[in-house]
């Protein structure tokens, strides 16, 4: 970081967005803490609803940590591994925050936490094969990482961006990872860049944490990895906005960044890939921030997959009754509808709030804040009024698809209109109608 | 903490994202606007005495009553509480002089709420700034009390000792030629109040060529003999509407709104800049015994080594109404464009049109008229000045 960028701030930025109160002071300075797997684990046997697997264990079998308990049904799916050693008590189903009920194995840990010896076969395997064998899932979009890499190669990507700009409030997993293991992340980024054959590999970091940026820059010296400190204005973390900011390429509405020859990988995926590549460890833990105003010991935790969220909450402690629980960030996450859910492999945060914000909408007062803050230049107030059943022109669809679901419009609206939710609903209805029309 | 806290949460609401809100609400916006308008109203009460307080109070009370009545009749809940009605009443009172009869603010407030707001469907749906709708409607009804031309050519100014107290028994017209400012006049004459022309009215007369020039000098007699000192117009020690005269209070109120984020600085800046440019450029008529014709580019005029052109432009800015329009009336969120770019265009049109109407028009309250004329174009401005959508511009 040179003098001028140190003084004046990040050079690259985007139009729109806004600085949110980041609420990271409670979590950002605490090291990542591993939560011991000493409770019955309900390990989901699929990483997502569409990733079908074949169960390889039967009730009563003993497993070691890292042992495969379900293999991928086809080449585009992912296997599932045991997070610790123990006995499979039974097979059943369990509630997961995003996919609802998934088949699960109930694993009673034996407390020894014995792991499989790393097989030395892995250094002859290709990058993609290792990702597939270790069950690495990309956190956003939620597809298997090896499939994403194959798609990227097929699309001929020229740039790889590792997205460590964590601009949503409360989230701290990426920041802690960058603080604790920058070298591994850079190594894994170089591996990925080699496998993809990209021209540039960029690690995007929040400029606000300058000491982290300097540390990563020192680690990246002499490697073919660029470090890009960016503004922490939300939603800089969104891939579409990131591509616009860093490379000045505009992803067309409804397309993915691959269409612009850029692969954006979340840092959490990179960390999982590093574990798979360098330690020969499958993805059995999720690194997630547990925070919110109801949490006593807010921090970043490394949680075994399948741990009931109730246990995680007991581990972190509560200060107040929880009235709103969210998996993911407070603006783009998913509300937790049931408390018997378990931790899944691609969780990034669990936020527990002691209040639920019920807002009564009033008519739009044309303050223009949603227009000002929209990162893609939409007019959410006019799109929210849209009657998606009747209007059917291509421009409207493009507008709806250009929305990146950052949720800022609802966040800033003084009239308390549910703008983001109505735009999302209109888009889903629109796409459904389109697909019905194409089938007919 | 123990488990019972966790168990409370049996039915978590499955709400859509986002789960936290920025904390701004309509209430905050309206309260900030009320406070800002209240600063100006308080200054008006100080400057014009209890009569102004009565006008402000009557206007607010009748606006709130009218809003209540409209909501009862239309069986629709009042949105945003009664704060918006109170704000409309307060803004309306700021545009009225303190000398109007008691029924003028009452009728104006009812007209503002019923015709300006209620008929359009209430808050968020109206097209014209309601306070101004009320103001121009009563202007037609009671033109003798409001207008400058007909019955009451001059309006009173309170003397230093009579501020806030009022208690004036008689007010005499004064000779502007010997008037050397507000504080100096009291000392030499000892009167409690006196009648003066409004600065706006003087400027209008000047633009018509009705201010007799002094030899070769054109602007010097205007500024020396007809207008009060400029500092008096900034401090509000000139006749005019309750909230129109005190430019200083208006700037402070506008700064407060800008600081709170409920007014974009681009809008008042555009209004004032466009008005200044228009006043600097637009020609004024030279009276017949000077040979007639027009004087272009007034700002460049220098007479007897004094930059009277600049003083002329400054007088245009602070003469009244324009500041109130720029800082409080044009910035109404519902009746102004959404983007800063649109607001610059909107404000520039208002500023230029105000000066144009002041120089060449016949309607009194030119700033209010230009805001009302521009208000219907807000939707058009918004549509034309959209932001480019990411990814669509390239395709």
């Amino acid at each position: 970081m040179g003098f001028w960028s140190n003084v004046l701030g990040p050079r690259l930025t985007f139009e729109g967005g806004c600085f949110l109160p980041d609420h990271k002071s409670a979590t950002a300075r605490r090291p990542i803490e591993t939560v011991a797997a000493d409770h019955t684990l309900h390990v989901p046997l699929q990483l997502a609803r569409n990733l079908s697997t074949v169960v390889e264990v039967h009730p009563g079998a003993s497993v070691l940590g890292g042992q495969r308990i379900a293999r991928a049904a086809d080449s585009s799916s992912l296997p599932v591994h045991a997070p610790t050693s123990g006995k499979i008590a039974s097979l059943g189903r369990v509630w997961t925050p995003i996919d609802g009920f998934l088949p699960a194995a109930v694993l009673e840990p034996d407390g020894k936490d014995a792991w499989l010896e790393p097989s030395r076969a892995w250094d002859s395997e290709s990058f993609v094969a290792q990702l597939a064998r270790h069950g690495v899932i990309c956190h956003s979009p939620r597809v298997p990482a090896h499939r994403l890499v194959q798609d990227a190669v097929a699309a001929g990507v020229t740039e790889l961006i590792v997205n460590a700009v964590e601009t949503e409030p409360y989230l701290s997993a990426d920041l802690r990872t960058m603080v604790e293991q920058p070298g591994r992340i850079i190594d894994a980024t170089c591996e990925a860049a080699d496998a993809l054959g990209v021209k540039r590999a960029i690690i995007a970091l929040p400029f606000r944490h300058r000491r982290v940026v300097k540390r990563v820059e020192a680690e990246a010296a002499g490697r073919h990895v660029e470090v890009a400190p960016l503004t922490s204005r939300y939603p800089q973390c969104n891939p579409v906005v990131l591509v616009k900011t860093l490379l000045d390429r505009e992803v067309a509405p409804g397309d993915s960044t691959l269409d612009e020859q850029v692969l954006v990988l979340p840092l959490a995926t990179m960390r999982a890939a590093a574990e798979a590549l360098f330690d020969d460890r499958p993805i059995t833990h999720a690194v997630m921030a547990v925070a919110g105003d109801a949490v006593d010991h807010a921090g970043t935790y490394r949680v075994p997959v399948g741990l009931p969220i109730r246990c995680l909450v007991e581990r972190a402690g509560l200060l107040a009754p929880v009235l709103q629980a969210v998996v993911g960030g407070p603006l783009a996450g998913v509300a937790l509808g049931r408390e018997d859910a378990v931790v899944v492999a691609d969780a990034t945060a669990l936020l527990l709030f002691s209040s639920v914000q019920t807002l009564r909408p009033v008519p739009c007062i044309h303050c223009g804040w949603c227009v000002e803050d929209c990162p893609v230049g939409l007019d959410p107030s006019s799109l929210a009024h849209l009657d998606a059943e009747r209007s059917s022109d291509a421009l409207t669809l493009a507008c709806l698809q250009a929305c990146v679901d950052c949720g800022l419009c609802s966040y800033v609206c003084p009239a308390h209109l549910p703008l983001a939710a109505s735009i999302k609903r209109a888009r889903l209805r629109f796409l459904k109608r389109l697909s019905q029309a194409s089938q007919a | 903490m123990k488990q019972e806290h966790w168990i409370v949460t049996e039915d978590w609401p499955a709400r859509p994202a986002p789960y936290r809100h920025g904390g701004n609400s309509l209430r905050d916006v309206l309260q900030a606007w009320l406070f800002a308008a209240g600063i100006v109203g308080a200054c008006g009460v100080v400057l014009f005495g209890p009569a102004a307080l009565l006008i402000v109070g009557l206007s607010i009370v009748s606006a709130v009553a009218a809003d209540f009545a409209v909501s009862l009749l239309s069986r629709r809940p009042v949105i945003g509480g009664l704060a918006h009605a109170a704000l409309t009443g307060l803004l309306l009172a700021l545009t009225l002089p303190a000398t109007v009869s008691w029924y003028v603010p009452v009728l104006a407030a009812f007209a503002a709420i019923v015709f300006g707001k209620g008929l359009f469907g209430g808050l968020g749906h109206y097209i014209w700034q309601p306070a101004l709708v009320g103001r121009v409607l009563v202007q037609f009804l009671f033109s003798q009390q409001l207008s400058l031309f007909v019955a009451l050519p001059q309006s009173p100014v309170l003397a230093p000792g009579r501020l806030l107290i009022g208690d004036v028994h008689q007010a005499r017209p004064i000779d502007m030629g010997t008037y050397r400012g507000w504080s100096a006049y009291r000392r030499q004459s000892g009167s409690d109040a006196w009648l003066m022309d409004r600065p706006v009215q003087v400027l209008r007369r000047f633009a018509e060529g009705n201010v007799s020039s002094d030899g070769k000098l054109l602007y010097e007699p205007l500024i020396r003999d007809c207008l009060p000192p400029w500092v008096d117009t900034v401090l509000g020690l000139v006749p005019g509407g309750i909230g129109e005269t005190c430019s200083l209070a208006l700037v402070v109120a506008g700064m407060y709104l800008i600081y709170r984020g409920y007014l974009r600085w681009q809008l008042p800046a555009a209004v004032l800049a466009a008005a200044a440019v228009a006043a600097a450029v637009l020609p004024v008529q030279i009276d017949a015994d000077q040979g007639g014709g027009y004087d272009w580019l007034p700002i460049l005029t220098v007479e007897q080594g004094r930059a009277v052109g600049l003083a002329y432009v400054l007088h245009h800015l602070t003469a009244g109404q324009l500041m109130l329009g720029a800082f409080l009336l044009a910035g109404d969120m519902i009746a102004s464009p959404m983007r800063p770019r649109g607001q610059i265009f909107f404000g520039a049109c208002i500023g230029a049109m105000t000066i144009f109407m002041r120089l060449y028009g016949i309607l009194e309250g030119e700033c209010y008229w230009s805001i009302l004329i521009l208000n219907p174009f807000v939707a058009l401005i918004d549509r034309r000045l959209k932001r480019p959508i990411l990814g669509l511009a390239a395709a």
Side-chain angles (χ1 to χ4, degrees), chain B residues 270-296:
Chain B
V271 174
L272 295 181
V277 168
V281 169
L282 289 177
V284 290
Q285 212 168 349
I286 301 170
D287 59 354
D289 51 324
Q290 285 292 309
Y294 287 95
D295 180 42
W296 286 85

Side-chain angles (χ1 to χ4, degrees), chain A residues 7 88 106 137 174 191 201 207 241 251 258 269 272 320 334 338 344:
Chain A
V7 173
I88 303 287
V106 180
I137 186 168
D174 288 1
E191 293 282 338
F207 177 85
V241 181
V251 179
L258 292 184
T269 310
V334 179
R338 304 163 55 113
V344 291

Side-chain angles (χ1 to χ4, degrees), chain A residues 250-254 376-378 394-402, chain B residues 387-395:
Chain A
E250 300 191 354
V251 179
V376 290
L378 296 175
L395 184 66
T396 312
L397 178 61
C399 284
L400 289 174
Q401 282 194 310
Chain B
R387 276 178 62 188
I389 294 169
L390 199 73
L392 277 192

